[in-house]
Amino acid sequence: FYLDDEYQWKGPFYFIQGADPQFGLMKAWAVGDTNNGDDEWGEEIKLAEQAVQAINKLNPKPKFFVLCGDLIHGMPGTQWRKDQEQDLKNVLKNTDQDIPLVFVSGNHDIGNTPTRETIDNYCKNWGDDYFSFWVGGVFFLVLNSQLYFDSSKCPELKQAQDVWLNEQLAVAEKHKCKHIIVFQHIPLFLRKPDEDHDYFNLEKSVRQEIMEKFHKAGIKAVFSGHYHRNAGGFYKGLEMVVSSAIGCQLGEDPHGLRVVVVTDEKIVHRYYSLNELSSQGIEKELLDMLAKQN
C-alpha cells in the first residue's frame, strides 16, 4: 500500500466502496427497538458474505475495499457489540488477501458523541480513525466524521484531526497528485449543499467550512454511507456520493456495493446490487475505461 511508487500515476484503476454492514440493525429496525433489539444478525452475516464473495470473483481485482462506517449496530458499551464485531471479522477474513481492507469509523462504531475511550477502542479493533494513503498517484483521506458531528466530549481530538488534515492537504499539493478522494461515514449533505441539517448530514456551518476547504484543495469526491439509501450531489466541482448499505435498507435501494473507477481525468462510479455484482460482475463500459492506457 504505502510504497513510494504509489505516488506515480500508472493508469486507470478501480476500488469497491461498501457501507453500513451494521450487524444487528435489521432485527432492531423490524421490532422497532433500535436501542436494544439487535440481538440477532444472521441476515447481515449472509449479506456481508455475499459482498465478500462478489468482490473475490471480480477480474481484474479492485485495488482495495473500503467500508464507510457502521460496521456493527451495537453502540459502545452495549451488550451484543463484541459478538457483532467478531462475526464481522470472521466474514471479512475471507476477503482475497490481495485486496486490502480500509475501515472508516461510523457513529455506531464510536458513538454519536464519541469520547477518547470509544475512539481508542475502535482503533484497537479496526485501525486508525483517520489516516491517508496513496494508490497509483491518487491521494486518499479517511476521516472521522463523528468529530464534525459532535466533538463535545473530546474537543482536543477534533482539533488534532483538523491540524492533521491541513498538513495532509499541503502534502497533496506538493506531490501534484492526480486526484484527492475522501472517505467518511456521515455525508456533508444528501442532495443539496444548502439543505437543512438533520441526523443524516452535517450541521450547516460545519459543512460549509469543510466543503470550501475541500473545494479549495481540489478534492474531487467524498464517499460516505450512513443514509442506508443512495443519494448525492455537487458543491462546485466537489461530488458528494452517498452509498446505500450492505445491510439494512431504509429506502428502496437493494443491498449493494459501489464500483468506483478512477481515470486520468475523472472519477466514475456505479452502485450495483449484491446479486447483480455476484452474477454479472462489472459491466463492459467500466471495464473498457480500465483497459485504456494513458
Side-chain angles (χ1 to χ4, degrees), residues 80-213:
W80 309 108
R81 190 173 164 90
K82 279 270 171 284
D83 293 342
Q84 289 170 356
E85 287 180 335
Q86 195 49 58
D87 283 353
L88 178 58
K89 286 178 180 178
N90 290 342
V91 172
L92 293 173
K93 271 183 200 139
N94 296 318
T95 310
D96 185 315
Q97 59 187 30
D98 294 331
I99 304 172
L101 291 166
V102 177
F103 298 108
V104 182
S105 63
N107 56 307
H108 283 263
D109 305 309
I110 59 176
N112 286 322
T113 306
T115 64
R116 184 174 279 278
E117 188 190 10
T118 64
I119 291 175
D120 282 350
N121 216 329
Y122 169 87
C123 294
K124 282 192 194 91
N125 257 308
W126 302 103
D128 291 341
D129 58 324
Y130 57 88
F131 56 97
S132 64
F133 60 95
W134 289 82
V135 175
V138 177
F139 191 46
F140 292 92
L141 293 163
V142 171
L143 298 179
N144 177 346
S145 55
Q146 286 321 113
L147 296 174
Y148 295 126
F149 191 80
D150 182 359
S151 62
S152 56
K153 289 193 175 154
C154 54
E156 74 289 357
L157 296 183
K158 176 186 186 292
Q159 199 186 351
Q161 177 173 253
D162 288 344
V163 168
W164 173 86
L165 179 57
N166 290 335
E167 286 166 358
Q168 295 296 306
L169 294 175
V171 165
E173 190 174 26
K174 195 179 87 203
H175 276 285
K176 299 281 178 274
C177 54
K178 189 60 85 172
H179 304 292
I180 311 173
I181 294 174
V182 171
F183 299 119
Q184 59 186 58
H185 178 62
I186 300 184
L188 298 168
F189 58 89
L190 298 173
R191 293 193 172 79
K192 294 197 196 72
D194 60 351
E195 70 198 16
D196 288 340
H197 165 57
D198 68 16
Y199 176 77
F200 287 113
N201 60 19
L202 291 179
E203 198 272 312
K204 273 173 119 167
S205 61
V206 174
R207 177 198 315 167
Q208 186 56 43
E209 191 182 326
I210 298 170
M211 290 188 309
E212 206 32 50
K213 176 184 287 202

Side-chain angles (χ1 to χ4, degrees), residues 201-259:
N201 60 19
L202 291 179
E203 198 272 312
K204 273 173 119 167
S205 61
V206 174
R207 177 198 315 167
Q208 186 56 43
E209 191 182 326
I210 298 170
M211 290 188 309
E212 206 32 50
K213 176 184 287 202
F214 285 4
H215 165 67
K216 283 207 179 86
I219 292 172
K220 287 275 173 65
V222 177
F223 288 88
S224 70
H226 188 52
Y227 191 44
H228 296 254
R229 284 155 281 210
N230 287 307
F234 283 87
Y235 172 78
K236 301 181 182 173
L238 171 74
E239 185 175 11
M240 181 67 240
V241 184
V242 184
S243 291
S244 198
I246 292 170
C248 189
Q249 300 299 316
L250 301 183
E252 302 302 308
D253 293 298
H255 305 279
L257 294 165
R258 193 172 292 275
V259 172

Side-chain angles (χ1 to χ4, degrees), residues 22-44 72-75 78-81 84 108 248:
Q22 205 158 342
F23 282 22
L25 176 58
M26 288 171 94
K27 161 90 188 278
W29 191 254
V31 301
D33 181 356
T34 49
N35 293 328
N36 313 298
D38 59 341
D39 59 344
E40 288 173 32
W41 49 91
E43 196 61 37
E44 283 98 337
I72 54 162
H73 183 65
M75 284 279 189
T78 57
Q79 185 179 4
W80 309 108
R81 190 173 164 90
Q84 289 170 356
H108 283 263
C248 189

